[in-house]
Amino acid sequence: MGNLASDTEVEPVAPGRFAATLSADWQLVGPNGGYLAAVALRAGQRLADRYRPASMSCQFLAPARFGRVELAGTVLRVTERATALRVAMFQGGDQLLEAQVWATPEHPAGPAVAWHEMPAAPGPDRLPDLKDRLSAAGAWVPRWHDSVTLRVVPGPAPELTWARFRPVPAFGDPWLDACRALILVDSLQWPAIRVLMPDRDRTLALTTHLAVTFHRDAGDAEWLLVDARGTAAAHGFVGGTAAVWSDDGRLIAAGQQQMLLHQLSRPAAFSRGS
């Protein structure tokens, strides 16, 4: 299984330059967008570690391979209330992504309130592991599922899912905490959308744009509830939204995603989370 902290670690190689190794433990179809964004966010942390992440917007420009990547970071603006960063990721001469990050001080002034309540859902201890269900059905299970335990809430559509990272489920570092939300917002929207798609066994979606706002730290909350929903499909793209809640009802993060649709010539062996 993967370890989120070590598998997103970046190493400084020059001022504003970093290197990282993409781990195959986060394989879905390949290195998924949320994992790439998490690595880029850790590069942003190196540039603004006295702040906490507030938001990240990421454009995915080329497919990645597992292995070494290079990152370039730039501080665009610094004030007492916020800082803006740019992070680009490269591999083999190709730019993989372009990201913008906003960060704020640890204890900024202003209200702390959420205007939406967590959806009602049975606790994760009352639900079976998705990996076990997929294995029992003979479905292909990507290695990603060894790093994140998923428990789907039964319903008319797979919108609510409990998630717990392994082997370390929670982090005191707000940047690593935000990495959890990035990966879940990116990874669980397509499964929620796919069940709504016609000819879904021949359809694949690749993330082109991911935007996530980090509202609060989850702290020591090990289980996170993800409410992922499809919004619309048009012009060859499909979009969705997702919200991430701690098990005690705090809204941790919210995001949206745009994905480019690909029609396959034959059915693919998909599993939920792929």
Side-chain angles (χ1 to χ4, degrees):
M1 68 184 70
N3 183 305
L4 184 63
S6 59
D7 292 344
T8 59
E9 184 62 62
V10 299
E11 172 189 0
V13 294
R17 295 278 179 171
F18 311 93
T21 301
L22 302 181
S23 169
D25 285 323
W26 298 91
Q27 175 219 16
L28 283 171
V29 176
N32 78 303
Y35 174 52
L36 296 178
V39 174
L41 188 66
R42 296 295 304 280
Q45 179 181 11
R46 292 279 190 171
L47 298 172
D49 59 359
R50 70 184 182 90
Y51 292 81
R52 65 171 303 279
S55 67
M56 184 178 198
S57 177
C58 195
Q59 306 289 334
F60 299 92
L61 305 175
R65 303 180 305 278
F66 295 112
R68 182 181 171 89
V69 293
E70 294 79 39
L71 302 104
T74 305
V75 178
L76 301 175
R77 180 172 173 80
V78 178
T79 73
E80 292 183 358
R81 298 290 302 276
T83 184
L85 314 168
R86 170 186 175 270
V87 178
M89 180 183 291
F90 303 89
Q91 187 177 60
D94 294 327
Q95 184 172 356
L96 304 182
L97 64 80
E98 177 88 11
Q100 292 77 42
V101 178
W102 277 99
T104 63
E106 286 286 349
H107 303 288
V113 60
W115 291 286
H116 298 277
E117 295 183 356
M118 185 174 76
D125 57 327
R126 299 171 55 189
L127 300 169
D129 283 359
L130 178 61
K131 180 183 175 182
D132 294 340
R133 291 170 49 198
L134 293 171
S135 297
W140 175 64
V141 182
R143 290 175 63 177
W144 188 95
H145 288 272
D146 293 329
S147 303
V148 185
T149 297
L150 299 181
R151 296 184 179 178
V152 181
V153 177
E159 295 173 350
L160 296 177
T161 305
W162 287 103
R164 183 180 186 271
F165 283 73
R166 303 174 61 201
V168 181
F171 303 92
D173 182 337
W175 293 85
L176 279 170
D177 196 60
C179 287
R180 286 201 291 171
L182 272 176
I183 288 173
L184 295 176
V185 169
D186 172 80
S187 303
L188 296 185
Q189 286 186 58
W190 172 238
I193 294 169
R194 181 176 169 266
V195 299
L196 307 174
M197 297 292 295
D199 199 19
R200 58 179 177 263
D201 289 337
R202 295 177 182 270
T203 304
L204 176 67
L206 301 177
T207 304
T208 57
H209 176 241
L210 177 69
V212 180
T213 52
F214 310 111
H215 298 301
R216 300 188 183 191
D217 300 337
D220 59 0
E222 296 186 2
W223 285 100
L224 302 177
L225 182 67
V226 184
D227 183 359
R229 301 168 181 256
T231 51
H235 308 296
F237 284 85
V238 62
T241 64
V244 182
W245 307 80
S246 63
D247 54 11
D248 60 0
R250 289 171 292 141
L251 179 61
I252 303 305
Q256 63 182 86
Q257 187 178 22
Q258 187 84 330
M259 291 163 276
L260 181 65
L261 291 173
H262 287 267
Q263 295 298 317
L264 306 176
S265 59
R266 59 183 180 180
F270 290 108
S271 65
R272 179 175 170 80
S274 63

